[in-house]
Amino acid sequence: MATAAFDTPKLKEYPVIPLIQVGATSHLKPFVASEAIQKNLGFPGELVEDWQAKAIAKMGDLLGKYRSLQVYMDACVHCGACADKCHYFLGTKDPKNMPVARQDLLRQVYRRYFTFAGKYFPWLVGAKDLTKEVLDDWYSYYYQCSECRRCSVFCPYGIDTAEVTMAAREIMDSIGMGQKYSNEIIGKVHRIGNNLGIPGPALQDTLEGLEEDTKDETGVDVRFPLDVKGAEVLLVTPSADFFSEPHVDSLIGYAKVFHAAGVSWTLSAKASEAGNFGMFIGNYEQLRKIALRIREAALELGVKRIVVGECGHAWRVAYSFWNTLVGIGAGGKDPFAIELQNQLDHRYKQPMHICEFTYDLIQRGALSFDKEKNDSRIITFHDSCNVARASRMGDFAGGQFVIPREIIKAVANNFHDMAPETIFESTFCCGGGGGLLTDDLLELRVKGALPRMEALKNVVDEHNVNFMATICAICKAQFTKVLPQYGFDMSMVGGVHQLVSKAIRLGDK
Amino acid sequence: MSALSLLYAVLFYFATAVLVLGLARKIRQYARTPAPLKIALTPAPVTPAGVPWRLAREVVFFESLFRSSKWTWLFGWLFHAALLLVILRHVRYFQEPVWLVITLIQPFGTYAGFAMVVGLAGLWARRFLVDRVRYISTPSDHLMLALLIAIGLTGLGMRFVRHTDIVAVKAYMLGLMRFDIQPLPTDPVLLLHLGLVALLMIVFPISKLLHAPGLFFSPTRNMADNPREARHVAAWASALDK
């Protein structure tokens, strides 16, 4: 579909906090989910008649279920520390993209219906009735948040806009105002098993094709197994890895690592997707239902370990939530969790990130590389938002920053980090995460990428960087689309295991 | 006992009740609301033992604010630190004999009054000068600053410009604590000062001042980063496993 024309922001040498432009992106709204898409997930098909009362009741329900939401509705002092931290605000100048103002869209209604001050002195505390206008603002601006949590790092109270965004989206879904992109994808996961809607036979076919390609390239029989019972490792990866460029190069990299290490592994047709869009819409039941496929596949195939591919929000769900949701992890004492925990091998982290897997092998000297094969590349690393701030790797704090960089340095000779205030937990989101990777939001995606593009330009100019490695399917898809808008080559972006794939030596194990 | 003494006694008993009961109610609400998912935020401690240390850094040094905005940190921290000293200094009105620590604090507490007003003025200036902060400010944000500045200025006025009878004030406060109402001086600056303090106590549990208890209950700040090691399930969520 054609999007309205817009100007790509100019890259500046130094980041500048823009003056606000009221309403700059109020026209941006993603397509609303159709009745069929909504009903599929058990949500009302269209905006229900008494949506106002229902939305307020749902807000009350969520306030009682989530301590985060209750505390975050009360605690904000409007200090403005977060105001200049959001990549969407920096790129669009719209003041409602300042995290505090985005939260206030929900907070104003919370105050009106749930607080003394808002009930009796609404004008004093900026409380507002829930009108259609407010609802439209919600739809617009809660779909201009990628749930990247950068603002939360800088908030004196740790107020997490992602939690507020998720609550708002859940309220909207509950009254029949869902987002087409996310909800359609969740439907596909339930029907077919993955976000792209690739059926089992097509997946099988693709994997066989990859085996042939890899054989042609390396002369070695690297396997890409599907549904193999009794394999040691179940690999769960974003389905973009099966079809998209440059994603598939990382999948080939994982396969080569497993091959070189001599570890038996398999993919599962039932759980052929790591991405969990249940998180994007803030719905616990969907989050759990989507995660349950992984649990079921692991039990059916009898695997000992579960490893997750390069995917940002998926790794957040896997690392932070899988144990809670479906008992993939350790320490569960309830029957539901014990069944799976007895099967898994707890000498290893459960679940494990593919970077942790590869890094462990490198540490033990189990892999060898021809680093010079990556010499044509001068590499930088983009910390994906939900890996950086919402999850971890390894045994130590900050492992999610160290481990991917150490892998890159082990397989390549040229590495330069971007500016310190734009990486690690201060990393800027790619601009496409959290359910926004859809063409109807292209303007937002391009503008939201501005801070990352400025940081990238600096290392391109200073160090001749020509490759930005990342470990998230959405980052890869977003950057291949957005880089050309800023005058970069789209092939500049790729996965960490794409670099591994290039340099790894395959023995005859 | 004058009507004025009685009126202020009732006001302070009411304000104290609202403050204590209101805060207790809110804290109970926060404590009882489940946190169904682990949402610890980097840089999070990897064990529960690290949590108090992280919270202490936030409470004492305003660590995250320091990273966010140096001006806000400077004025905000100055105001809060000064307020702490000022409050400690006021403890002398509520005890006899006065603790040694409180006596030692007196000179610092006196000048902290100025620092407090300077900090507040800086915070208020941002609400006018920075367009982003102007956009997010509500009338209550301005009024809260005005209230605190007025409390500071009336206090400084009594200390440096027009002294009030602090011996009588102390007798009145000690009397309040023993439910034995003593005469309150009729000095207008004092009455204004005390009235505003009572107002601050009353609005505390229904305003943004809830950021004080809120910080301790913020899951992004008080959770340990150990979701793979320990299953974390809230009651309403574990019901789904049945």
Side-chain angles (χ1 to χ4, degrees):
Chain A
M1 86 117 215
T3 42
F6 62 90
D7 291 326
T8 301
K10 296 274 169 295
L11 295 180
K12 298 172 293 291
E13 198 167 338
Y14 301 101
V16 178
I17 303 167
L19 290 174
I20 60 173
Q21 252 176 46
V22 176
T25 54
S26 57
H27 62 287
L28 293 182
K29 300 178 196 306
F31 296 146
V32 178
S34 70
E35 192 170 338
I37 291 173
Q38 285 290 95
K39 293 234 154 127
N40 223 343
L41 308 190
F43 297 133
E46 55 184 23
L47 193 60
V48 294
E49 219 160 81
D50 50 348
W51 60 270
Q52 215 178 0
K54 286 240 166 78
I56 293 159
K58 184 72 185 175
M59 188 186 283
D61 176 47
L62 295 178
L63 286 164
K65 277 178 159 175
Y66 291 90
R67 183 185 295 164
S68 52
L69 186 65
Q70 178 63 57
V71 170
Y72 298 155
M73 286 293 105
D74 284 333
C76 179
V77 298
H78 288 163
C79 72
C82 61
D84 57 343
K85 302 301 185 287
C86 174
H87 52 288
Y88 292 120
F89 170 66
L90 295 173
T92 68
K93 306 174 185 162
D94 191 311
K96 285 181 182 162
N97 277 326
M98 298 189 295
V100 46
R102 195 189 310 285
Q103 297 158 18
D104 268 356
L105 295 175
L106 205 64
R107 196 176 281 122
Q108 63 191 4
V109 175
Y110 163 75
R111 291 210 163 122
R112 185 77 183 97
Y113 298 94
F114 296 94
T115 72
F116 177 87
K119 273 178 197 162
Y120 300 101
F121 309 98
W123 54 273
L124 195 64
V125 293
K128 273 194 192 162
D129 286 331
L130 179 51
T131 58
K132 185 70 174 51
E133 213 182 348
V134 169
L135 183 66
D136 286 342
D137 255 3
W138 284 5
Y139 195 73
S140 215
Y141 291 101
Y142 286 116
Y143 285 102
Q144 297 189 37
C145 169
S146 57
E147 302 174 357
C148 87
R149 309 176 95 211
R150 186 171 195 262
C151 49
S152 183
V153 168
F154 293 96
C155 173
Y157 320 108
I159 297 174
D160 187 351
T161 306
E163 293 288 304
V164 180
T165 291
M166 289 179 212
R169 291 182 182 180
E170 176 152 32
I171 293 170
M172 289 189 281
D173 268 324
S174 77
I175 57 171
M177 205 166 172
Q179 183 215 23
K180 177 177 182 247
Y181 173 71
S182 293
N183 290 0
E184 194 170 34
I185 282 178
I186 295 174
K188 274 187 209 153
V189 166
H190 293 321
R191 266 198 324 280
I192 306 166
N194 56 60
N195 290 356
L196 292 185
I198 310 164
L203 190 56
Q204 182 76 59
D205 206 45
T206 305
L207 295 174
E208 280 163 15
L210 288 175
E211 280 181 4
E212 282 166 29
D213 294 350
T214 313
K215 171 92 177 174
D216 289 348
E217 179 214 325
T218 63
V220 179
D221 283 315
V222 176
R223 293 278 163 234
F224 288 75
L226 182 68
D227 289 329
V228 176
K229 279 200 177 170
E232 164 89 7
V233 168
L234 169 64
L235 175 78
V236 191
T237 203
S239 52
D241 283 4
F242 303 123
F243 271 89
S244 308
E245 290 282 351
H247 307 61
V248 67
D249 294 317
S250 280
L251 177 65
I252 296 168
Y254 319 149
K256 288 181 182 172
V257 169
F258 287 124
H259 178 92
V263 173
S264 70
W265 68 290
T266 186
L267 292 154
S268 156
K270 175 180 207 164
S272 53
E273 173 67 57
N276 190 326
F277 275 40
M279 191 181 92
F280 295 169
I281 63 166
N283 184 284
Y284 191 97
E285 286 77 12
Q286 286 295 338
L287 195 55
R288 183 174 180 277
K289 203 172 159 193
I290 295 166
L292 264 176
R293 298 153 38 250
I294 319 276
R295 177 190 160 89
E296 283 161 12
L299 286 170
E300 279 166 24
L301 297 172
V303 295
K304 297 287 176 203
R305 308 172 66 178
I306 302 179
V307 173
V308 178
E310 295 181 355
C311 193
H313 290 74
W315 178 237
R316 178 183 189 191
V317 175
Y319 173 87
S320 297
F321 302 159
W322 271 1
N323 200 359
T324 297
L325 294 168
V326 293
I328 301 174
K333 306 256 187 317
D334 49 305
F336 179 79
I338 286 170
E339 186 190 10
L340 184 62
Q341 299 196 359
N342 281 346
Q343 179 187 313
L344 298 175
D345 184 342
H346 287 286
R347 287 175 300 168
Y348 303 103
K349 298 272 180 202
Q350 304 285 359
M352 185 178 265
H353 193 280
I354 187 71
C355 283
E356 290 178 301
F357 185 87
T358 301
Y359 180 67
D360 282 354
L361 293 168
I362 294 173
Q363 293 286 90
R364 291 196 272 115
L367 301 177
S368 47
F369 301 100
D370 298 317
K371 290 171 86 165
E372 60 282 0
K373 286 201 173 164
N374 277 313
D375 275 355
S376 62
R377 289 178 170 140
I378 302 168
I379 302 159
T380 194
F381 181 68
H382 163 73
D383 289 283
S384 297
C385 59
N386 270 251
V387 177
R389 287 181 282 263
S391 56
R392 194 163 48 87
M393 293 178 198
D395 287 320
F396 52 98
Q400 72 271 43
F401 309 127
V402 174
I403 288 173
R405 284 176 172 78
E406 287 304 311
I407 295 175
I408 295 172
K409 288 174 192 166
V411 304
N413 285 313
N414 311 309
F415 178 80
H416 294 281
D417 253 323
M418 288 180 275
E421 65 277 11
T422 71
I423 55 170
F424 286 26
E425 71 264 27
S426 300
T427 189
F428 280 107
C429 169
C430 65
L436 310 183
L437 192 74
T438 168
D439 278 351
D440 31 323
L441 287 175
L442 189 62
E443 179 179 351
L444 181 78
R445 289 166 53 191
V446 169
K447 292 181 173 173
L450 177 71
R452 173 45 80 223
M453 291 297 113
E454 285 179 346
L456 175 63
K457 183 166 190 322
N458 283 339
V459 284
V460 168
D461 292 348
E462 280 170 32
H463 301 288
N464 299 317
V465 161
N466 60 14
F467 192 81
M468 178 164 59
T470 182
I471 46 173
C472 173
I474 283 178
C475 293
K476 292 170 192 168
Q478 157 78 351
F479 284 137
T480 44
K481 184 107 182 183
V482 163
L483 281 167
Q485 299 263 353
Y486 287 96
F488 297 112
D489 192 314
M490 64 186 274
S491 65
M492 269 182 83
V493 68
V496 166
H497 278 77
Q498 180 175 344
L499 300 171
V500 172
S501 174
K502 187 95 179 169
I504 195 167
R505 278 189 207 145
L506 296 174
D508 289 328
K509 281 177 198 166
Chain B
M1 177 187 10
S2 69
L4 188 73
S5 302
L6 190 63
L7 180 71
Y8 268 75
V10 172
L11 179 63
F12 268 97
Y13 288 136
F14 176 71
T16 308
V18 170
L19 177 69
V20 173
L21 297 177
L23 269 185
R25 192 180 133 263
K26 265 294 168 191
I27 288 171
R28 196 166 135 246
Q29 182 190 30
Y30 294 157
R32 284 192 168 183
T33 308
L37 290 167
K38 275 271 185 181
I39 57 167
L41 192 102
T42 309
V46 293
T47 59
V51 169
W53 172 233
R54 182 184 201 189
L55 280 179
R57 293 199 317 266
E58 288 293 348
V59 173
V60 179
F61 302 114
F62 297 8
E63 189 180 48
S64 297
L65 184 59
F66 184 77
R67 294 182 68 184
S68 326
S69 162
K70 298 290 185 281
W71 283 110
T72 317
W73 178 85
L74 179 68
F75 293 127
W77 192 84
L78 187 66
F79 156 60
H80 283 85
L83 180 65
L84 176 67
L85 279 175
V86 168
I87 288 175
L88 286 175
R89 184 182 114 83
H90 280 68
V91 169
R92 69 176 176 148
Y93 296 110
F94 298 88
Q95 55 182 206
E96 186 56 51
V98 176
W99 292 336
L100 178 66
V101 203
I102 303 298
T103 313
L104 293 175
I105 281 169
Q106 294 310 315
F108 305 103
T110 305
Y111 293 101
F114 291 103
M116 186 179 132
V117 172
V118 168
L120 288 165
L123 291 175
W124 208 355
R126 295 183 72 251
R127 297 213 176 271
F128 294 102
L129 299 177
V130 182
D131 76 327
R132 306 184 296 280
V133 186
R134 192 163 60 228
Y135 178 87
I136 57 174
S137 298
T138 63
S140 68
D141 295 322
H142 289 283
L143 284 174
M144 199 62 76
L145 287 162
L147 176 63
L148 287 163
I149 286 184
I151 291 173
L153 289 178
T154 49
L156 286 171
M158 282 183 289
R159 177 68 183 80
F160 291 103
V161 186
R162 237 190 88 173
H163 294 275
T164 196
D165 182 354
I166 56 168
V167 177
V169 172
K170 178 159 182 172
Y172 181 77
M173 289 301 168
L174 289 170
L176 276 185
M177 290 165 68
R178 298 185 196 111
F179 299 101
D180 171 20
I181 313 299
Q182 301 294 315
L184 180 67
T186 54
D187 178 355
V189 184
L190 173 71
L191 295 179
L192 186 59
H193 186 71
L194 293 180
L196 293 175
V197 170
L199 182 61
L200 183 69
M201 291 163 75
I202 291 166
V203 299
F204 201 107
I206 53 168
S207 69
K208 66 175 187 174
L209 300 182
L210 286 172
H211 67 278
L215 171 58
F216 295 93
F217 289 95
S218 175
T220 46
R221 292 286 183 269
N222 71 13
M223 282 181 161
D225 173 17
N226 61 352
R228 286 192 288 194
E229 288 74 29
R231 191 164 192 234
H232 167 91
V233 198
W236 69 262
S238 71
L240 299 170
D241 291 347
K242 296 283 177 316

